[in-house]
Amino acid sequence: MADADEATSALIAQLLAEDDPYGDNPYGNIGGADDSDSDYSGGRKPKKAKKAPKAKAASKASSSRGKQPEDEKENVEDEFTASGRRKRKDTGKKREGGPRAWTAEEERLFLEALELYGREWKKAAAHVGTRDAKAFTSHAQKYFIKCCLQGKPLMPKVAESGEGYTLSGKPLDPFSAAARAYGFKPDTLQ
C-alpha cells in the first residue's frame, strides 16, 4: 500500500506542477520533495534567525560601486552590539578634562542671552556660541535655582514664559534632584 501512496503523491505533484508552471502554488509545498510527515510542525513555519539591521554606507561613492572598502566594513560591524542594537556614538570614549567651566565671557553672554531670548534655548545657546542648547539649559537650571535661593526675581523676558524658576516656567519642585543638590528646602518657597 505504501507504493500506491507514493505513486499517488507523485501523480498529484506532477499535476500541480503542470497547473502551476511558475511555482506560486497557494497551498504551499504539498507533495513536494520536502514534504514528509516526520517534520510536520502543525502548520507553523520555523522561525528565521534575526539579522542585524543594515547600516547605511558612509559615502555615496562606495554604495554606488556595490562594495565597501575593508576599513568601512569594520566600522559597520562596530556600530551594533551583539544583540543587534545600534551602539551609542560615545560608547567607550572618555571626555577629556571633564566638564568645562563657564568662562567670564560665556557667563556674560549667557545673561545677555536670557535677557534677549528668555526660554528660547536654541536661540540663546546660539548667542553664546561656544555651548550647545543642552549645556545652556543645564547652566540655566542651576542659575534659576540659585536665583530662587537668593530671592532674586527672574529677568522680564524669562518671566514672560512662566514665573517658575524652572526650564519650563512651572513652579520649582523642592523635592527634585536638581533643587536638593543646592540645599533647597520645601519651606524656602513659602
Side-chain angles (χ1 to χ4, degrees):
M1 181 134 192
D3 290 335
D5 287 339
E6 288 178 23
T8 305
S9 295
L11 182 60
I12 291 172
Q14 182 182 5
L15 291 172
L16 286 173
E18 289 172 4
D19 288 346
D20 190 18
Y22 300 107
D24 50 350
N25 182 358
Y27 302 109
N29 193 15
I30 299 176
D34 295 351
D35 195 22
S36 69
D37 290 332
S38 63
D39 65 350
Y40 179 73
S41 62
R44 291 188 177 185
K45 293 181 181 179
K47 291 184 178 181
K48 294 181 181 179
K50 290 185 179 180
K51 295 180 182 177
K54 293 182 181 180
K56 295 180 182 176
S59 67
K60 290 182 180 180
S62 65
S63 64
S64 65
R65 283 185 254 129
K67 291 185 177 181
Q68 292 180 341
E70 290 299 318
D71 58 337
E72 284 186 21
K73 285 182 182 178
E74 292 173 11
N75 290 341
V76 169
E77 291 173 2
D78 293 339
E79 290 180 11
F80 299 98
T81 63
S83 64
R85 291 193 172 134
R86 187 174 297 276
K87 285 185 181 177
R88 288 177 48 129
K89 291 180 181 176
D90 60 350
T91 300
K93 296 179 183 176
K94 292 185 179 178
R95 288 192 57 181
E96 296 176 16
R100 188 168 49 99
W102 284 65
T103 63
E105 178 64 14
E106 286 176 324
E107 193 66 36
R108 184 187 66 76
L109 290 170
F110 168 79
L111 295 172
E112 190 175 283
L114 284 178
E115 288 176 7
L116 293 172
Y117 304 109
R119 288 189 171 99
E120 294 181 48
W121 304 121
K122 289 182 181 178
K123 288 181 181 178
H127 183 78
V128 172
T130 56
R131 303 289 178 145
D132 63 354
K134 185 176 179 181
F136 190 93
T137 55
S138 176
H139 192 65
Q141 184 179 30
K142 296 169 191 171
Y143 174 77
F144 289 159
I145 292 171
K146 288 177 184 177
C147 285
C148 185
L149 285 170
Q150 295 170 359
K152 293 181 182 176
L154 290 172
M155 296 176 183
K157 186 69 176 178
V158 174
E160 285 177 10
S161 57
E163 291 292 327
Y165 288 85
T166 59
L167 296 177
S168 64
K170 294 178 181 175
L172 181 64
D173 178 12
F175 299 106
S176 70
R180 282 186 285 129
Y182 287 89
F184 200 87
K185 304 283 188 256
D187 56 333
T188 306
L189 290 175
Q190 296 169 352

